Amino acid sequence: MDVIEAIKLRKSIRGFKPAPVSKEALSRILDTAVRSPSTMNMQPWEFTVIAGEVLEKVRRANVEMLEAGLPPNPDVPYPDTAGIYRERRVSLGIHLFELMGITREDKAKRMEWRKRGYRFFDAPAAIIISIDRSLDVPTAMFDIGTVTQTIALTALNYDLGTCIHYQGARYPDVLRKLAGIPESKRIIICISIGYPDPEFPANKVQSEREPYQNITTWCGI
Ligand SMILES: Cc1cc2nc3c(=O)[nH]c(=O)nc-3n(C[C@H](O)[C@H](O)[C@H](O)COP(=O)(O)O)c2cc1C
């Protein structure tokens, strides 16, 4: 697949067909993704691939924690947003809720949608990316960004869709316990992966972008 086509085609998939993803396809994706650039070639990424009964257990445990009202304690907390950044976030939420038929007042449906993220969007498989706790977080986060995007793009080559998400790692101890990720690792991000369900309403979302002209300064050209 042409690289520009892949970049333009990639979008977050939040509804998947139940068909499993083969270990071979996942291996090929990771084999390609490790070619991603990293700071001084440190390659801070470590992958835990979960599927089947393990993923089912993770889904159940995450939802139980959420329903019990336990405060999330992610390994890398992300700050609240304000101004234009908040506006973009809210705009995405409005668009997703419209497609899913969720109104502002419908607390039950809003909660159900939230749970979906904690359930890894019911994907048949997920890739959890972690880093060693000895590493500097801002530097490693940059590198995790490069490998994450490469995984998402490479997946398209196998007709697979992805959703990169923090939600699945909001209760990192669930993943540590059920997927055997040691305490010495910081869990950074989850990637749900599977065959996109074209009928799932939220998959129709086309997230907006600021035109590059508005955010680019040209100097000497
Ligand atoms: C680091 C990161 C964390 C994200 N976390 C979530 C998440 O927790 N839940 C979710 O639904 N989407 C999450 N997303 C997906 C973004 O909402 C999505 O990439 C953005 O809206 C742009 O849409 P697109 O991926 O369809 O182009 C995350 C994306 C990134 C890069």
Side-chain angles (χ1 to χ4, degrees):
M1 183 184 284
D2 173 76
V3 74
I4 293 176
E5 190 191 341
I7 291 166
K8 293 199 168 169
L9 192 68
R10 189 215 57 80
K11 62 187 322 207
S12 294
I13 297 299
R14 299 182 175 89
F16 297 87
K17 291 180 182 167
V21 184
S22 72
K23 191 170 183 178
E24 192 195 339
L26 291 164
S27 305
R28 284 177 184 225
I29 291 167
L30 294 178
D31 188 44
T32 303
V34 294
R35 294 306 309 169
S36 302
S38 63
T39 312
M40 312 283 267
N41 201 24
M42 282 195 287
Q43 308 168 57
W45 44 72
E46 292 180 37
F47 308 115
T48 306
V49 185
I50 52 174
E53 189 51 33
V54 176
L55 184 49
E56 289 307 325
K57 283 184 182 166
V58 169
R59 291 193 233 278
R60 278 200 295 272
N62 271 352
V63 169
E64 274 169 24
M65 307 270 279
L66 186 64
E67 284 176 339
L70 292 170
N73 61 335
D75 287 355
V76 184
Y78 62 90
D80 217 354
T81 47
I84 180 69
Y85 308 107
R86 185 168 192 283
E87 280 172 33
R88 288 177 185 154
R89 198 173 114 182
V90 169
S91 161
L92 172 74
I94 290 172
H95 201 162
L96 280 170
F97 279 14
E98 268 173 14
L99 285 165
M100 293 301 296
I102 305 171
T103 61
R104 239 178 112 74
E105 304 72 41
D106 195 336
K107 283 190 178 164
K109 275 195 179 170
R110 285 166 71 110
M111 182 59 168
E112 200 43 52
W113 178 252
R114 211 166 145 214
K115 281 186 199 168
R116 194 173 174 79
Y118 283 72
R119 287 202 318 262
F120 287 71
F121 303 96
D122 293 340
I127 301 168
I128 315 300
I129 309 185
S130 52
I131 61 169
D132 196 82
R133 279 195 195 272
S134 64
L135 291 167
D136 173 61
V137 172
T139 310
M141 289 291 273
F142 196 100
D143 301 339
I144 297 309
T146 75
V147 80
T148 300
Q149 166 81 336
T150 309
I151 289 172
L153 293 178
T154 309
L156 295 171
N157 198 52
Y158 301 94
D159 298 324
L160 292 162
T162 52
C163 186
I164 301 160
H165 59 99
Y166 283 132
Q167 274 173 300
R170 298 276 285 157
Y171 297 116
D173 289 341
V174 165
L175 287 168
R176 267 189 251 290
K177 184 173 163 213
L178 296 170
I181 300 172
E183 190 58 48
S184 58
K185 308 293 170 190
R186 224 185 272 279
I187 299 172
I188 305 294
I189 196 80
C190 307
I191 308 174
S192 288
I193 185 162
Y195 297 96
D197 176 356
E199 305 303 322
F200 189 74
N203 286 349
K204 295 186 173 61
V205 78
Q206 197 57 56
S207 58
E208 293 166 357
R209 292 296 187 274
E210 193 71 38
Y212 79 90
Q213 290 90 339
N214 297 353
I215 47 168
T216 304
T217 307
W218 300 89
C219 301
I221 181 169

